[in-house]
Amino acid sequence: YQKFQLAMKQGQPIYSADPTFDLRFSGEFPAVSAAGEVAVSPFFLNGADLLTTRNLGIYASDLDGGNYRQIFKSTGNSAYAPAWSPDGHWLAMSYGEIFTDKRITRLLLMKSDGSEQRALGDPADSGSFPSFSPDGKEIVFRAWGNEQHRGLRILNLADNSTRVLTTENDNFPVWSP
């Protein structure tokens, strides 16, 4: 599996049983912007393995894999599950220690070129898997902290406040358009 992924390049066509359906290789948790850019967190890149590497970044490309570039470089932690704002100017992502006992992550927000990075929300929520509201003013995410900080939360981007949506071990929220 890993050798197969390493041989593939972002955007490369791959086999589809339906000849009218175009499949292309991408990294994990791909996010497509309204402008047609893909942001990914490639878990297996240049021989790196998610379970042993703590320096996973975020990459972006055109839909066909052209203009492939790293837009967020990580040192010591991993970035994953990027989400585009509705206007395509911002990316939210999960950032921290994943697949460890700690599982301490934060939500980060940055411009689509990687500038203006800032942490979001309450660090105790250990936020992951962001999804922007259709108006771009809020983000729903998974909280995975202690018992008081589990479930789904909604983050207000204007004042960085959060409100509780659920309190169970919910996961992978996506805002309905």
Side-chain angles (χ1 to χ4, degrees), residues 9-11 24-32 37-43 45 56-62 68-72 79-84 91 93 110:
K9 295 192 187 287
Q10 172 70 17
R24 294 188 176 268
F25 177 77
S26 186
E28 284 72 14
F29 301 112
V32 180
E37 278 198 286
V38 180
V40 296
S41 48
F43 285 3
L45 179 69
L56 298 174
I58 301 292
Y59 294 75
S61 74
D62 300 332
Y68 188 69
R69 67 214 179 273
Q70 186 172 21
I71 56 174
F72 180 79
Y80 63 100
W84 292 97
L91 273 169
M93 71 188 85
M110 69 177 185

PDB file of all heavy atoms in Angstrom, residues 9-11 24-32 37-43 45 56-62 68-72 79-84 91 93 110:
ATOM      1  N   LYS A   9       1.438  10.478  -7.951  1.00  0.00           N
ATOM      2  CA  LYS A   9       1.628  11.916  -7.806  1.00  0.00           C
ATOM      3  C   LYS A   9       0.267  12.579  -7.710  1.00  0.00           C
ATOM      4  O   LYS A   9      -0.700  12.123  -8.314  1.00  0.00           O
ATOM      5  CB  LYS A   9       2.404  12.467  -8.996  1.00  0.00           C
ATOM      6  CG  LYS A   9       3.825  11.945  -9.080  1.00  0.00           C
ATOM      7  CD  LYS A   9       4.605  12.758 -10.082  1.00  0.00           C
ATOM      8  CE  LYS A   9       5.961  12.195 -10.337  1.00  0.00           C
ATOM      9  NZ  LYS A   9       6.935  12.324  -9.387  1.00  0.00           N
ATOM     10  N   GLN A  10       0.218  13.667  -6.976  1.00  0.00           N
ATOM     11  CA  GLN A  10      -1.020  14.415  -6.793  1.00  0.00           C
ATOM     12  C   GLN A  10      -1.670  14.699  -8.142  1.00  0.00           C
ATOM     13  O   GLN A  10      -1.036  15.174  -9.064  1.00  0.00           O
ATOM     14  CB  GLN A  10      -0.727  15.726  -6.064  1.00  0.00           C
ATOM     15  CG  GLN A  10      -1.883  16.672  -5.973  1.00  0.00           C
ATOM     16  CD  GLN A  10      -2.968  16.177  -5.053  1.00  0.00           C
ATOM     17  OE1 GLN A  10      -2.763  15.302  -4.244  1.00  0.00           O
ATOM     18  NE2 GLN A  10      -4.141  16.738  -5.199  1.00  0.00           N
ATOM     19  N   GLY A  11      -2.967  14.386  -8.259  1.00  0.00           N
ATOM     20  CA  GLY A  11      -3.718  14.674  -9.463  1.00  0.00           C
ATOM     21  C   GLY A  11      -3.589  13.644 -10.569  1.00  0.00           C
ATOM     22  O   GLY A  11      -4.253  13.756 -11.594  1.00  0.00           O
ATOM     23  N   ARG A  24      -8.833  10.711  -9.567  1.00  0.00           N
ATOM     24  CA  ARG A  24      -7.454  11.178  -9.491  1.00  0.00           C
ATOM     25  C   ARG A  24      -6.926  10.933  -8.089  1.00  0.00           C
ATOM     26  O   ARG A  24      -7.655  11.032  -7.108  1.00  0.00           O
ATOM     27  CB  ARG A  24      -7.363  12.657  -9.836  1.00  0.00           C
ATOM     28  CG  ARG A  24      -7.728  12.913 -11.280  1.00  0.00           C
ATOM     29  CD  ARG A  24      -7.458  14.332 -11.705  1.00  0.00           C
ATOM     30  NE  ARG A  24      -7.734  14.486 -13.108  1.00  0.00           N
ATOM     31  CZ  ARG A  24      -6.842  14.334 -14.074  1.00  0.00           C
ATOM     32  NH1 ARG A  24      -5.608  14.040 -13.771  1.00  0.00           N
ATOM     33  NH2 ARG A  24      -7.176  14.469 -15.330  1.00  0.00           N
ATOM     34  N   PHE A  25      -5.637  10.657  -8.007  1.00  0.00           N
ATOM     35  CA  PHE A  25      -4.991  10.410  -6.727  1.00  0.00           C
ATOM     36  C   PHE A  25      -4.884  11.714  -5.943  1.00  0.00           C
ATOM     37  O   PHE A  25      -4.609  12.772  -6.489  1.00  0.00           O
ATOM     38  CB  PHE A  25      -3.601   9.816  -6.932  1.00  0.00           C
ATOM     39  CG  PHE A  25      -2.863   9.602  -5.659  1.00  0.00           C
ATOM     40  CD1 PHE A  25      -3.172   8.521  -4.852  1.00  0.00           C
ATOM     41  CD2 PHE A  25      -1.878  10.475  -5.245  1.00  0.00           C
ATOM     42  CE1 PHE A  25      -2.507   8.322  -3.658  1.00  0.00           C
ATOM     43  CE2 PHE A  25      -1.220  10.280  -4.049  1.00  0.00           C
ATOM     44  CZ  PHE A  25      -1.528   9.199  -3.247  1.00  0.00           C
ATOM     45  N   SER A  26      -5.084  11.627  -4.633  1.00  0.00           N
ATOM     46  CA  SER A  26      -4.949  12.786  -3.765  1.00  0.00           C
ATOM     47  C   SER A  26      -4.404  12.326  -2.427  1.00  0.00           C
ATOM     48  O   SER A  26      -4.280  11.143  -2.166  1.00  0.00           O
ATOM     49  CB  SER A  26      -6.315  13.453  -3.575  1.00  0.00           C
ATOM     50  OG  SER A  26      -6.179  14.637  -2.848  1.00  0.00           O
ATOM     51  N   GLY A  27      -4.079  13.259  -1.558  1.00  0.00           N
ATOM     52  CA  GLY A  27      -3.670  12.931  -0.208  1.00  0.00           C
ATOM     53  C   GLY A  27      -4.892  12.700   0.669  1.00  0.00           C
ATOM     54  O   GLY A  27      -6.030  12.767   0.209  1.00  0.00           O
ATOM     55  N   GLU A  28      -4.669  12.442   1.926  1.00  0.00           N
ATOM     56  CA  GLU A  28      -5.763  12.186   2.852  1.00  0.00           C
ATOM     57  C   GLU A  28      -6.534  13.472   3.156  1.00  0.00           C
ATOM     58  O   GLU A  28      -5.980  14.553   3.147  1.00  0.00           O
ATOM     59  CB  GLU A  28      -5.215  11.594   4.148  1.00  0.00           C
ATOM     60  CG  GLU A  28      -4.833  10.154   4.039  1.00  0.00           C
ATOM     61  CD  GLU A  28      -3.562   9.879   3.237  1.00  0.00           C
ATOM     62  OE1 GLU A  28      -2.785  10.800   2.959  1.00  0.00           O
ATOM     63  OE2 GLU A  28      -3.355   8.724   2.864  1.00  0.00           O
ATOM     64  N   PHE A  29      -7.805  13.335   3.438  1.00  0.00           N
ATOM     65  CA  PHE A  29      -8.703  14.436   3.764  1.00  0.00           C
ATOM     66  C   PHE A  29      -8.626  15.567   2.738  1.00  0.00           C
ATOM     67  O   PHE A  29      -8.407  16.725   3.089  1.00  0.00           O
ATOM     68  CB  PHE A  29      -8.427  14.977   5.166  1.00  0.00           C
ATOM     69  CG  PHE A  29      -8.570  13.965   6.257  1.00  0.00           C
ATOM     70  CD1 PHE A  29      -7.464  13.527   6.961  1.00  0.00           C
ATOM     71  CD2 PHE A  29      -9.802  13.427   6.575  1.00  0.00           C
ATOM     72  CE1 PHE A  29      -7.589  12.577   7.969  1.00  0.00           C
ATOM     73  CE2 PHE A  29      -9.935  12.476   7.574  1.00  0.00           C
ATOM     74  CZ  PHE A  29      -8.828  12.055   8.277  1.00  0.00           C
ATOM     75  N   PRO A  30      -8.839  15.280   1.457  1.00  0.00           N
ATOM     76  CA  PRO A  30      -8.773  16.354   0.468  1.00  0.00           C
ATOM     77  C   PRO A  30      -9.920  17.342   0.644  1.00  0.00           C
ATOM     78  O   PRO A  30     -11.029  16.967   1.003  1.00  0.00           O
ATOM     79  CB  PRO A  30      -8.882  15.615  -0.867  1.00  0.00           C
ATOM     80  CG  PRO A  30      -9.633  14.375  -0.535  1.00  0.00           C
ATOM     81  CD  PRO A  30      -9.205  14.002   0.866  1.00  0.00           C
ATOM     82  N   ALA A  31      -9.634  18.597   0.411  1.00  0.00           N
ATOM     83  CA  ALA A  31     -10.646  19.655   0.464  1.00  0.00           C
ATOM     84  C   ALA A  31     -10.544  20.450  -0.829  1.00  0.00           C
ATOM     85  O   ALA A  31      -9.447  20.845  -1.227  1.00  0.00           O
ATOM     86  CB  ALA A  31     -10.407  20.563   1.665  1.00  0.00           C
ATOM     87  N   VAL A  32     -11.669  20.689  -1.472  1.00  0.00           N
ATOM     88  CA  VAL A  32     -11.692  21.403  -2.745  1.00  0.00           C
ATOM     89  C   VAL A  32     -12.329  22.772  -2.524  1.00  0.00           C
ATOM     90  O   VAL A  32     -13.406  22.879  -1.944  1.00  0.00           O
ATOM     91  CB  VAL A  32     -12.480  20.612  -3.814  1.00  0.00           C
ATOM     92  CG1 VAL A  32     -12.498  21.370  -5.135  1.00  0.00           C
ATOM     93  CG2 VAL A  32     -11.875  19.229  -4.001  1.00  0.00           C
ATOM     94  N   GLU A  37      -9.222  24.589  -6.289  1.00  0.00           N
ATOM     95  CA  GLU A  37      -7.935  24.163  -5.735  1.00  0.00           C
ATOM     96  C   GLU A  37      -8.182  23.046  -4.735  1.00  0.00           C
ATOM     97  O   GLU A  37      -9.205  23.019  -4.052  1.00  0.00           O
ATOM     98  CB  GLU A  37      -7.236  25.321  -5.020  1.00  0.00           C
ATOM     99  CG  GLU A  37      -6.500  26.250  -5.924  1.00  0.00           C
ATOM    100  CD  GLU A  37      -5.505  27.081  -5.141  1.00  0.00           C
ATOM    101  OE1 GLU A  37      -5.979  27.994  -4.430  1.00  0.00           O
ATOM    102  OE2 GLU A  37      -4.303  26.824  -5.226  1.00  0.00           O
ATOM    103  N   VAL A  38      -7.222  22.133  -4.647  1.00  0.00           N
ATOM    104  CA  VAL A  38      -7.300  21.032  -3.700  1.00  0.00           C
ATOM    105  C   VAL A  38      -6.258  21.254  -2.613  1.00  0.00           C
ATOM    106  O   VAL A  38      -5.101  21.558  -2.916  1.00  0.00           O
ATOM    107  CB  VAL A  38      -7.020  19.676  -4.396  1.00  0.00           C
ATOM    108  CG1 VAL A  38      -7.099  18.536  -3.395  1.00  0.00           C
ATOM    109  CG2 VAL A  38      -7.989  19.444  -5.527  1.00  0.00           C
ATOM    110  N   ALA A  39      -6.660  21.119  -1.362  1.00  0.00           N
ATOM    111  CA  ALA A  39      -5.717  21.138  -0.236  1.00  0.00           C
ATOM    112  C   ALA A  39      -5.732  19.743   0.376  1.00  0.00           C
ATOM    113  O   ALA A  39      -6.803  19.147   0.556  1.00  0.00           O
ATOM    114  CB  ALA A  39      -6.119  22.174   0.801  1.00  0.00           C
ATOM    115  N   VAL A  40      -4.558  19.192   0.672  1.00  0.00           N
ATOM    116  CA  VAL A  40      -4.444  17.848   1.219  1.00  0.00           C
ATOM    117  C   VAL A  40      -3.380  17.801   2.306  1.00  0.00           C
ATOM    118  O   VAL A  40      -2.506  18.654   2.391  1.00  0.00           O
ATOM    119  CB  VAL A  40      -4.083  16.802   0.137  1.00  0.00           C
ATOM    120  CG1 VAL A  40      -5.165  16.687  -0.895  1.00  0.00           C
ATOM    121  CG2 VAL A  40      -2.755  17.108  -0.505  1.00  0.00           C
ATOM    122  N   SER A  41      -3.487  16.760   3.120  1.00  0.00           N
ATOM    123  CA  SER A  41      -2.451  16.439   4.089  1.00  0.00           C
ATOM    124  C   SER A  41      -1.966  15.034   3.740  1.00  0.00           C
ATOM    125  O   SER A  41      -2.597  14.066   4.126  1.00  0.00           O
ATOM    126  CB  SER A  41      -2.999  16.498   5.514  1.00  0.00           C
ATOM    127  OG  SER A  41      -4.224  15.796   5.620  1.00  0.00           O
ATOM    128  N   PRO A  42      -0.896  14.919   2.963  1.00  0.00           N
ATOM    129  CA  PRO A  42      -0.447  13.601   2.509  1.00  0.00           C
ATOM    130  C   PRO A  42       0.214  12.820   3.637  1.00  0.00           C
ATOM    131  O   PRO A  42       1.304  13.153   4.077  1.00  0.00           O
ATOM    132  CB  PRO A  42       0.534  13.925   1.388  1.00  0.00           C
ATOM    133  CG  PRO A  42       0.995  15.310   1.659  1.00  0.00           C
ATOM    134  CD  PRO A  42      -0.100  16.001   2.409  1.00  0.00           C
ATOM    135  N   PHE A  43      -0.464  11.790   4.127  1.00  0.00           N
ATOM    136  CA  PHE A  43       0.029  11.021   5.264  1.00  0.00           C
ATOM    137  C   PHE A  43       1.268  10.207   4.936  1.00  0.00           C
ATOM    138  O   PHE A  43       2.013   9.839   5.816  1.00  0.00           O
ATOM    139  CB  PHE A  43      -1.053  10.083   5.780  1.00  0.00           C
ATOM    140  CG  PHE A  43      -2.148  10.770   6.559  1.00  0.00           C
ATOM    141  CD1 PHE A  43      -2.177  12.136   6.723  1.00  0.00           C
ATOM    142  CD2 PHE A  43      -3.146  10.030   7.134  1.00  0.00           C
ATOM    143  CE1 PHE A  43      -3.184  12.760   7.443  1.00  0.00           C
ATOM    144  CE2 PHE A  43      -4.158  10.640   7.863  1.00  0.00           C
ATOM    145  CZ  PHE A  43      -4.176  12.003   8.011  1.00  0.00           C
ATOM    146  N   LEU A  45       4.333  10.664   2.535  1.00  0.00           N
ATOM    147  CA  LEU A  45       5.022  11.514   1.577  1.00  0.00           C
ATOM    148  C   LEU A  45       6.522  11.303   1.713  1.00  0.00           C
ATOM    149  O   LEU A  45       7.057  11.382   2.824  1.00  0.00           O
ATOM    150  CB  LEU A  45       4.663  12.982   1.832  1.00  0.00           C
ATOM    151  CG  LEU A  45       5.307  14.009   0.929  1.00  0.00           C
ATOM    152  CD1 LEU A  45       4.745  13.886  -0.489  1.00  0.00           C
ATOM    153  CD2 LEU A  45       5.066  15.413   1.453  1.00  0.00           C
ATOM    154  N   LEU A  56       3.947  16.595   9.345  1.00  0.00           N
ATOM    155  CA  LEU A  56       3.124  16.613   8.148  1.00  0.00           C
ATOM    156  C   LEU A  56       2.583  18.008   7.890  1.00  0.00           C
ATOM    157  O   LEU A  56       2.047  18.653   8.786  1.00  0.00           O
ATOM    158  CB  LEU A  56       1.959  15.636   8.290  1.00  0.00           C
ATOM    159  CG  LEU A  56       2.358  14.178   8.467  1.00  0.00           C
ATOM    160  CD1 LEU A  56       1.141  13.324   8.754  1.00  0.00           C
ATOM    161  CD2 LEU A  56       3.107  13.671   7.268  1.00  0.00           C
ATOM    162  N   GLY A  57       2.712  18.456   6.659  1.00  0.00           N
ATOM    163  CA  GLY A  57       2.243  19.780   6.289  1.00  0.00           C
ATOM    164  C   GLY A  57       0.976  19.715   5.457  1.00  0.00           C
ATOM    165  O   GLY A  57       0.371  18.666   5.286  1.00  0.00           O
ATOM    166  N   ILE A  58       0.593  20.856   4.927  1.00  0.00           N
ATOM    167  CA  ILE A  58      -0.564  20.963   4.048  1.00  0.00           C
ATOM    168  C   ILE A  58      -0.055  21.391   2.669  1.00  0.00           C
ATOM    169  O   ILE A  58       0.767  22.303   2.551  1.00  0.00           O
ATOM    170  CB  ILE A  58      -1.589  21.994   4.574  1.00  0.00           C
ATOM    171  CG1 ILE A  58      -2.084  21.616   5.963  1.00  0.00           C
ATOM    172  CG2 ILE A  58      -2.747  22.156   3.591  1.00  0.00           C
ATOM    173  CD1 ILE A  58      -2.943  20.374   6.035  1.00  0.00           C
ATOM    174  N   TYR A  59      -0.565  20.714   1.644  1.00  0.00           N
ATOM    175  CA  TYR A  59      -0.184  20.980   0.269  1.00  0.00           C
ATOM    176  C   TYR A  59      -1.430  21.374  -0.511  1.00  0.00           C
ATOM    177  O   TYR A  59      -2.533  20.958  -0.184  1.00  0.00           O
ATOM    178  CB  TYR A  59       0.449  19.740  -0.364  1.00  0.00           C
ATOM    179  CG  TYR A  59       1.767  19.374   0.272  1.00  0.00           C
ATOM    180  CD1 TYR A  59       1.824  18.772   1.525  1.00  0.00           C
ATOM    181  CD2 TYR A  59       2.967  19.658  -0.376  1.00  0.00           C
ATOM    182  CE1 TYR A  59       3.032  18.456   2.116  1.00  0.00           C
ATOM    183  CE2 TYR A  59       4.179  19.346   0.214  1.00  0.00           C
ATOM    184  CZ  TYR A  59       4.212  18.741   1.456  1.00  0.00           C
ATOM    185  OH  TYR A  59       5.415  18.442   2.050  1.00  0.00           O
ATOM    186  N   ALA A  60      -1.230  22.160  -1.547  1.00  0.00           N
ATOM    187  CA  ALA A  60      -2.338  22.569  -2.409  1.00  0.00           C
ATOM    188  C   ALA A  60      -1.930  22.374  -3.862  1.00  0.00           C
ATOM    189  O   ALA A  60      -0.737  22.365  -4.191  1.00  0.00           O
ATOM    190  CB  ALA A  60      -2.716  24.018  -2.154  1.00  0.00           C
ATOM    191  N   SER A  61      -2.930  22.203  -4.711  1.00  0.00           N
ATOM    192  CA  SER A  61      -2.683  22.078  -6.145  1.00  0.00           C
ATOM    193  C   SER A  61      -3.956  22.437  -6.894  1.00  0.00           C
ATOM    194  O   SER A  61      -5.025  22.584  -6.304  1.00  0.00           O
ATOM    195  CB  SER A  61      -2.253  20.655  -6.506  1.00  0.00           C
ATOM    196  OG  SER A  61      -3.351  19.773  -6.460  1.00  0.00           O
ATOM    197  N   ASP A  62      -3.828  22.534  -8.206  1.00  0.00           N
ATOM    198  CA  ASP A  62      -4.994  22.624  -9.058  1.00  0.00           C
ATOM    199  C   ASP A  62      -5.660  21.250  -9.053  1.00  0.00           C
ATOM    200  O   ASP A  62      -5.062  20.260  -8.626  1.00  0.00           O
ATOM    201  CB  ASP A  62      -4.590  23.003 -10.480  1.00  0.00           C
ATOM    202  CG  ASP A  62      -3.884  24.354 -10.541  1.00  0.00           C
ATOM    203  OD1 ASP A  62      -4.166  25.212  -9.671  1.00  0.00           O
ATOM    204  OD2 ASP A  62      -3.057  24.535 -11.443  1.00  0.00           O
ATOM    205  N   TYR A  68       1.403  22.080  -7.788  1.00  0.00           N
ATOM    206  CA  TYR A  68       1.482  21.416  -6.478  1.00  0.00           C
ATOM    207  C   TYR A  68       2.528  22.119  -5.624  1.00  0.00           C
ATOM    208  O   TYR A  68       3.656  22.329  -6.052  1.00  0.00           O
ATOM    209  CB  TYR A  68       1.863  19.951  -6.684  1.00  0.00           C
ATOM    210  CG  TYR A  68       1.808  19.102  -5.442  1.00  0.00           C
ATOM    211  CD1 TYR A  68       0.602  18.797  -4.840  1.00  0.00           C
ATOM    212  CD2 TYR A  68       2.971  18.589  -4.880  1.00  0.00           C
ATOM    213  CE1 TYR A  68       0.543  18.002  -3.712  1.00  0.00           C
ATOM    214  CE2 TYR A  68       2.926  17.778  -3.753  1.00  0.00           C
ATOM    215  CZ  TYR A  68       1.709  17.493  -3.171  1.00  0.00           C
ATOM    216  OH  TYR A  68       1.653  16.704  -2.051  1.00  0.00           O
ATOM    217  N   ARG A  69       2.130  22.510  -4.410  1.00  0.00           N
ATOM    218  CA  ARG A  69       3.041  23.262  -3.546  1.00  0.00           C
ATOM    219  C   ARG A  69       2.673  23.069  -2.082  1.00  0.00           C
ATOM    220  O   ARG A  69       1.515  22.815  -1.746  1.00  0.00           O
ATOM    221  CB  ARG A  69       3.012  24.743  -3.895  1.00  0.00           C
ATOM    222  CG  ARG A  69       1.674  25.394  -3.576  1.00  0.00           C
ATOM    223  CD  ARG A  69       1.312  26.484  -4.554  1.00  0.00           C
ATOM    224  NE  ARG A  69       0.029  27.084  -4.264  1.00  0.00           N
ATOM    225  CZ  ARG A  69      -1.132  26.623  -4.704  1.00  0.00           C
ATOM    226  NH1 ARG A  69      -1.203  25.532  -5.430  1.00  0.00           N
ATOM    227  NH2 ARG A  69      -2.260  27.247  -4.414  1.00  0.00           N
ATOM    228  N   GLN A  70       3.668  23.207  -1.224  1.00  0.00           N
ATOM    229  CA  GLN A  70       3.423  23.138   0.220  1.00  0.00           C
ATOM    230  C   GLN A  70       3.026  24.536   0.677  1.00  0.00           C
ATOM    231  O   GLN A  70       3.723  25.512   0.406  1.00  0.00           O
ATOM    232  CB  GLN A  70       4.662  22.672   0.965  1.00  0.00           C
ATOM    233  CG  GLN A  70       4.410  22.450   2.431  1.00  0.00           C
ATOM    234  CD  GLN A  70       5.593  21.792   3.138  1.00  0.00           C
ATOM    235  OE1 GLN A  70       6.721  21.842   2.674  1.00  0.00           O
ATOM    236  NE2 GLN A  70       5.323  21.182   4.274  1.00  0.00           N
ATOM    237  N   ILE A  71       1.889  24.633   1.381  1.00  0.00           N
ATOM    238  CA  ILE A  71       1.444  25.941   1.859  1.00  0.00           C
ATOM    239  C   ILE A  71       1.538  26.057   3.374  1.00  0.00           C
ATOM    240  O   ILE A  71       1.420  27.147   3.912  1.00  0.00           O
ATOM    241  CB  ILE A  71       0.015  26.285   1.380  1.00  0.00           C
ATOM    242  CG1 ILE A  71      -0.992  25.210   1.781  1.00  0.00           C
ATOM    243  CG2 ILE A  71      -0.001  26.509  -0.120  1.00  0.00           C
ATOM    244  CD1 ILE A  71      -2.428  25.571   1.466  1.00  0.00           C
ATOM    245  N   PHE A  72       1.742  24.934   4.053  1.00  0.00           N
ATOM    246  CA  PHE A  72       1.953  24.970   5.502  1.00  0.00           C
ATOM    247  C   PHE A  72       2.999  23.943   5.854  1.00  0.00           C
ATOM    248  O   PHE A  72       2.834  22.765   5.567  1.00  0.00           O
ATOM    249  CB  PHE A  72       0.661  24.670   6.261  1.00  0.00           C
ATOM    250  CG  PHE A  72       0.840  24.687   7.756  1.00  0.00           C
ATOM    251  CD1 PHE A  72       0.898  25.880   8.448  1.00  0.00           C
ATOM    252  CD2 PHE A  72       0.983  23.505   8.463  1.00  0.00           C
ATOM    253  CE1 PHE A  72       1.079  25.899   9.826  1.00  0.00           C
ATOM    254  CE2 PHE A  72       1.163  23.506   9.836  1.00  0.00           C
ATOM    255  CZ  PHE A  72       1.210  24.712  10.514  1.00  0.00           C
ATOM    256  N   ALA A  79      -0.113  18.548  10.573  1.00  0.00           N
ATOM    257  CA  ALA A  79      -1.282  19.292  10.115  1.00  0.00           C
ATOM    258  C   ALA A  79      -2.092  18.354   9.229  1.00  0.00           C
ATOM    259  O   ALA A  79      -1.533  17.612   8.427  1.00  0.00           O
ATOM    260  CB  ALA A  79      -0.850  20.523   9.332  1.00  0.00           C
ATOM    261  N   TYR A  80      -3.398  18.370   9.390  1.00  0.00           N
ATOM    262  CA  TYR A  80      -4.244  17.476   8.605  1.00  0.00           C
ATOM    263  C   TYR A  80      -5.667  18.011   8.548  1.00  0.00           C
ATOM    264  O   TYR A  80      -6.019  18.943   9.255  1.00  0.00           O
ATOM    265  CB  TYR A  80      -4.226  16.052   9.179  1.00  0.00           C
ATOM    266  CG  TYR A  80      -4.775  15.944  10.580  1.00  0.00           C
ATOM    267  CD1 TYR A  80      -6.074  15.501  10.795  1.00  0.00           C
ATOM    268  CD2 TYR A  80      -4.014  16.303  11.677  1.00  0.00           C
ATOM    269  CE1 TYR A  80      -6.587  15.413  12.079  1.00  0.00           C
ATOM    270  CE2 TYR A  80      -4.523  16.220  12.957  1.00  0.00           C
ATOM    271  CZ  TYR A  80      -5.808  15.775  13.152  1.00  0.00           C
ATOM    272  OH  TYR A  80      -6.314  15.707  14.420  1.00  0.00           O
ATOM    273  N   ALA A  81      -6.465  17.409   7.685  1.00  0.00           N
ATOM    274  CA  ALA A  81      -7.887  17.723   7.521  1.00  0.00           C
ATOM    275  C   ALA A  81      -8.131  19.211   7.244  1.00  0.00           C
ATOM    276  O   ALA A  81      -8.890  19.869   7.942  1.00  0.00           O
ATOM    277  CB  ALA A  81      -8.685  17.264   8.737  1.00  0.00           C
ATOM    278  N   PRO A  82      -7.536  19.751   6.174  1.00  0.00           N
ATOM    279  CA  PRO A  82      -7.784  21.157   5.852  1.00  0.00           C
ATOM    280  C   PRO A  82      -9.207  21.378   5.367  1.00  0.00           C
ATOM    281  O   PRO A  82      -9.845  20.465   4.832  1.00  0.00           O
ATOM    282  CB  PRO A  82      -6.773  21.441   4.738  1.00  0.00           C
ATOM    283  CG  PRO A  82      -6.567  20.116   4.078  1.00  0.00           C
ATOM    284  CD  PRO A  82      -6.671  19.097   5.187  1.00  0.00           C
ATOM    285  N   ALA A  83      -9.709  22.586   5.564  1.00  0.00           N
ATOM    286  CA  ALA A  83     -11.047  22.971   5.090  1.00  0.00           C
ATOM    287  C   ALA A  83     -10.956  24.399   4.543  1.00  0.00           C
ATOM    288  O   ALA A  83     -10.404  25.285   5.198  1.00  0.00           O
ATOM    289  CB  ALA A  83     -12.056  22.915   6.234  1.00  0.00           C
ATOM    290  N   TRP A  84     -11.488  24.601   3.350  1.00  0.00           N
ATOM    291  CA  TRP A  84     -11.495  25.925   2.727  1.00  0.00           C
ATOM    292  C   TRP A  84     -12.666  26.753   3.239  1.00  0.00           C
ATOM    293  O   TRP A  84     -13.759  26.237   3.422  1.00  0.00           O
ATOM    294  CB  TRP A  84     -11.660  25.797   1.213  1.00  0.00           C
ATOM    295  CG  TRP A  84     -10.509  25.192   0.491  1.00  0.00           C
ATOM    296  CD1 TRP A  84     -10.388  23.890   0.111  1.00  0.00           C
ATOM    297  CD2 TRP A  84      -9.331  25.859   0.035  1.00  0.00           C
ATOM    298  NE1 TRP A  84      -9.202  23.705  -0.546  1.00  0.00           N
ATOM    299  CE2 TRP A  84      -8.535  24.894  -0.612  1.00  0.00           C
ATOM    300  CE3 TRP A  84      -8.876  27.169   0.109  1.00  0.00           C
ATOM    301  CZ2 TRP A  84      -7.313  25.202  -1.184  1.00  0.00           C
ATOM    302  CZ3 TRP A  84      -7.647  27.479  -0.462  1.00  0.00           C
ATOM    303  CH2 TRP A  84      -6.877  26.508  -1.094  1.00  0.00           C
ATOM    304  N   LEU A  91      -7.925  28.863   4.998  1.00  0.00           N
ATOM    305  CA  LEU A  91      -7.933  27.428   5.280  1.00  0.00           C
ATOM    306  C   LEU A  91      -7.912  27.240   6.789  1.00  0.00           C
ATOM    307  O   LEU A  91      -7.133  27.894   7.492  1.00  0.00           O
ATOM    308  CB  LEU A  91      -6.690  26.742   4.704  1.00  0.00           C
ATOM    309  CG  LEU A  91      -6.743  26.260   3.273  1.00  0.00           C
ATOM    310  CD1 LEU A  91      -5.365  25.860   2.791  1.00  0.00           C
ATOM    311  CD2 LEU A  91      -7.688  25.097   3.134  1.00  0.00           C
ATOM    312  N   MET A  93      -7.448  24.096   9.674  1.00  0.00           N
ATOM    313  CA  MET A  93      -6.877  22.760   9.718  1.00  0.00           C
ATOM    314  C   MET A  93      -6.705  22.300  11.151  1.00  0.00           C
ATOM    315  O   MET A  93      -6.759  23.105  12.088  1.00  0.00           O
ATOM    316  CB  MET A  93      -5.522  22.730   9.022  1.00  0.00           C
ATOM    317  CG  MET A  93      -4.431  23.456   9.817  1.00  0.00           C
ATOM    318  SD  MET A  93      -2.898  23.635   8.943  1.00  0.00           S
ATOM    319  CE  MET A  93      -3.257  25.110   8.029  1.00  0.00           C
ATOM    320  N   MET A 110      -5.425  30.029   8.522  1.00  0.00           N
ATOM    321  CA  MET A 110      -4.408  30.772   7.777  1.00  0.00           C
ATOM    322  C   MET A 110      -4.976  31.186   6.429  1.00  0.00           C
ATOM    323  O   MET A 110      -5.951  30.614   5.951  1.00  0.00           O
ATOM    324  CB  MET A 110      -3.154  29.925   7.575  1.00  0.00           C
ATOM    325  CG  MET A 110      -3.330  28.758   6.644  1.00  0.00           C
ATOM    326  SD  MET A 110      -1.769  27.881   6.407  1.00  0.00           S
ATOM    327  CE  MET A 110      -2.271  26.700   5.164  1.00  0.00           C
TER     328      MET A 110
END
